[in-house]
Amino acid sequence: AMIRKTLGFTLIELLVVVTVIGVSLSLAVPSWEQISQKRRLTNATEQVASFLAVAQSAAQKRNQAVSLAFNRTGNQSWCVGAVGGSGGCDCTETDTTSAQFCAVDGAPYVIESSSFQFLNLTEADDTQPGEGDSHITFDPVRGILQPSGDRLQFTFESSGGYYQLRLVVSPTGLLTICNSGDDQLVGGYAQCVS
């Protein structure tokens, strides 16, 4: 009788390999989602910080105050806009002929939540002495906030709620991104100082 050698895998070997791959993937997918959320949060927060920095430098370049206005109606719907002058604008205004339209040097200057689908704005505070008015003004000479002592703070959260970053504009005009919580820290950013 001839002994027949078969090449290949037995059904049991195949099932063991498929099970090991399945378990590995089920462990990797949640961590991949958290990495993606962290990256999206970091990218979006840095884009908003860049938007604010350009408005600040526009004030100094033009030697004219530039005001930033923000509007937040829930975590998922928000906007920030800038306008030359100290009167502020309405970042929800879409009529380009309106006096409340946000524009610098005639060009629309607005950043909106629709550009950041995976980002929630959980806090937006203008801590102007007295009461916040949802806008800040950059001084044209030094880029500091007017009136003296004003401060702006945005807290952004990843869509899954795992991570938070805070963007602060200090009274001196310094823009800082920091970790706002004690857990789930985003690498590369210091802990926020109260």
Side-chain angles (χ1 to χ4, degrees):
M2 288 186 1
I3 299 178
R4 213 168 134 192
K5 286 189 174 185
T6 57
L7 299 174
F9 302 105
T10 66
L11 182 58
I12 292 176
E13 290 171 332
L14 187 61
L15 287 174
V16 167
V17 169
V18 168
T19 303
V20 168
I21 290 173
V23 168
S24 298
L25 284 176
S26 69
L27 295 174
V29 170
S31 62
W32 176 255
E33 177 60 26
Q34 289 179 357
I35 291 168
S36 296
Q37 284 187 31
K38 191 184 299 186
R39 181 76 331 242
R40 286 187 216 123
L41 172 66
T42 301
N43 182 32
T45 305
E46 288 177 356
Q47 284 185 44
V48 174
S50 177
F51 177 86
L52 299 179
V54 169
Q56 183 180 33
S57 66
Q60 294 171 308
K61 181 178 99 176
R62 300 168 75 234
N63 197 27
Q64 178 187 9
V66 170
S67 291
L68 282 166
F70 63 90
N71 185 315
R72 178 177 168 260
T73 54
N75 290 349
Q76 304 259 359
S77 181
W78 56 270
C79 62
V80 180
V83 66
S86 58
C89 62
D90 180 359
C91 59
T92 62
E93 180 63 62
T94 57
D95 180 5
T96 58
T97 62
S98 170
Q100 289 296 306
F101 185 71
C102 295
V104 175
D105 291 331
Y109 204 79
V110 175
I111 193 166
E112 299 176 292
S113 57
S114 60
S115 301
F116 306 102
Q117 298 173 1
F118 302 103
L119 183 72
N120 298 324
L121 178 63
T122 60
E123 177 186 32
D125 285 327
D126 170 16
T127 57
Q128 178 178 334
E131 65 179 67
D133 55 5
S134 299
H135 85 271
I136 61 170
T137 303
F138 288 114
D139 173 79
V141 177
R142 295 173 286 172
I144 63 174
L145 297 187
Q146 298 174 336
S148 179
D150 204 355
R151 181 175 187 260
L152 180 66
Q153 176 173 295
F154 294 134
T155 302
F156 294 103
E157 183 178 75
S158 62
S159 58
Y162 290 111
Y163 304 101
Q164 284 189 344
L165 285 176
R166 182 170 292 149
L167 172 59
V168 178
V169 183
S170 73
T172 61
L174 178 66
L175 280 87
T176 307
I177 299 174
C178 55
N179 281 295
S180 64
D182 291 332
D183 57 340
Q184 304 293 351
L185 299 178
V186 178
Y189 297 103
Q191 188 73 22
C192 294
V193 178
S194 301

